[in-house]
Amino acid sequence: MQSLGSNERPAGRGMSMRMGSAGMAVMLVVFLVAVVFAANQNDVIGWLVVIISLGWLLIFGFVVFSLRSAARKAAARLQGHGAFGAPGQSPAGPPAADRARDLKLDHSFKIVQVQVGVVRDYLGKDEGMVERALETIEITSHNARSMMKGSSEGPVEGTVVE
């Protein structure tokens, strides 16, 4: 399995993380400069600027740290489930082969349901039609079982009545 980051750096330490750290440092410097100027001038406007810069620093810090936390959680989830580029696998679902097998099994069960209806309709009326429907049910169910994991038997050949 490949890492989502580059080969040299650990995942999650990209350009956005460095920019967040640099932005946080700039906001901290702005706050400290505002405090120093407000303390030297000792006027109301200076302290309002300090309060405003403190608010912006807190908002910026919340955004940066919450984005970092979300990025770490997403990276951990991706490492647990495999990379996007894994063959036959989508980011949030089962592999494509499992999906195709499930669709084939669903179709097989629908065939069985239709043939059960044929058996009910022709029971006592046309024995040949009932026999063909029962044979179709047997073939379809055997083939569906062979598609399931762990079965080593091959598909059964015969005439399928639809």
Side-chain angles (χ1 to χ4, degrees):
M1 184 180 337
Q2 293 179 344
S3 170
L4 293 177
S6 70
N7 293 338
E8 299 301 319
R9 293 186 315 245
R13 295 305 266 162
M15 182 67 147
S16 61
M17 293 296 182
R18 288 192 301 255
M19 291 299 289
S21 298
M24 184 64 97
V26 167
M27 291 300 290
L28 188 60
V29 168
V30 167
F31 173 70
L32 292 176
V33 168
V35 168
V36 169
F37 279 133
N40 285 339
Q41 298 294 327
N42 202 13
D43 59 352
V44 175
I45 294 177
W47 289 110
L48 286 176
V49 171
V50 168
I51 292 171
I52 291 171
S53 65
L54 176 64
W56 278 107
L57 176 66
L58 292 175
I59 290 171
F60 189 81
F62 174 75
V63 169
V64 167
F65 290 123
S66 63
L67 286 177
R68 279 187 183 175
S69 173
R72 286 185 185 126
K73 287 178 184 175
R77 179 175 281 177
L78 286 176
Q79 283 180 344
H81 292 294
F84 285 119
Q89 186 174 3
S90 64
D98 286 349
R99 174 81 175 131
R101 190 194 78 234
D102 290 346
L103 287 173
K104 288 178 183 180
L105 288 171
D106 181 55
H107 180 70
S108 295
F109 292 133
K110 286 178 185 176
I111 291 173
V112 168
Q113 288 174 334
V114 167
Q115 295 304 318
V116 166
V118 169
V119 168
R120 284 192 181 129
D121 289 344
Y122 288 98
L123 195 62
K125 297 177 188 174
D126 186 2
E127 288 298 319
M129 186 65 112
V130 171
E131 283 299 318
R132 286 194 298 264
L134 290 173
E135 182 184 3
T136 300
I137 290 172
E138 183 181 5
I139 292 169
T140 304
S141 63
H142 185 275
N143 290 343
R145 287 189 65 225
S146 69
M147 279 187 261
M148 297 172 82
K149 292 181 181 175
S151 180
S152 60
E153 299 175 11
V156 173
E157 299 293 326
T159 306
V160 176
V161 177
E162 294 189 40

